[in-house]
Amino acid sequence: MEKSIFTRIMDGEIPARIEYEDELVIVIHDIAPKAPTHLLIIPRKPIPTLMDVSEEDLPLIGHIHKVAQLLAKKLEVKGFRLINNCGKEGGQEVFHIHYHFLAGF
Ligand code: AMP
């Protein structure tokens, strides 16, 4: 399977502004921000879409929500939107699951 652009960022092949990373996820600033703060929370595991999430991935999905909490505290934002675009018809462009963290409206 061809590497996604996000895997290439994780492998250091493409530069990105990294806000946070741990053993399960990386958080980068979106290259085309739709809000004053627009981050992407990306699991290291290259799951193509939300529809491909399996039972064994559920702790990872929970972890993403913990990371959203952590980002809100770190960036001192009072509220945020956490968005997943699923599938082409759902507006997904990069087929490596990720959650948009938008704040500062
Ligand atoms: P989606 O439409 O949900 O698949 O969102 C993909 C997001 O990835 C878009 O908001 C793009 O602006 C963003 N994006 C694409 N390439 C890069 C990149 N090299 N660095 C940071 N963000 C990117």
Side-chain angles (χ1 to χ4, degrees):
M1 204 173 74
E2 199 178 307
K3 274 189 192 181
S4 74
I5 192 154
F6 295 152
T7 298
R8 294 184 67 198
I9 286 172
M10 286 173 212
D11 290 349
E13 294 171 12
I14 295 176
R17 194 172 148 213
I18 298 170
E19 183 64 37
Y20 170 84
E21 58 184 321
D22 62 27
E23 70 285 5
L24 294 176
V25 302
I26 185 169
V27 179
I28 63 169
H29 288 258
D30 197 292
I31 206 166
K34 314 280 187 309
T37 299
H38 186 170
L39 304 173
L40 300 172
I41 307 175
I42 310 164
R44 294 191 184 278
K45 184 174 178 182
I47 303 166
T49 82
L50 184 60
M51 292 303 286
D52 301 302
V53 168
S54 66
E55 198 76 20
E56 70 168 28
D57 296 321
L58 295 181
L60 174 60
I61 301 302
H63 181 70
I64 288 167
H65 284 72
K66 288 300 292 181
V67 170
Q69 280 184 354
L70 186 149
L71 292 170
K73 287 176 192 161
K74 184 178 186 221
L75 302 172
E76 298 181 341
V77 298
K78 291 198 177 83
F80 59 87
R81 296 169 71 190
L82 191 63
I83 296 171
N84 171 257
N85 296 326
C86 181
K88 206 172 164 197
E89 287 77 5
Q92 186 174 0
E93 288 171 6
V94 179
F95 286 79
H96 178 147
I97 195 170
H98 55 281
Y99 287 73
H100 297 256
F101 178 101
L102 298 143
F105 297 102

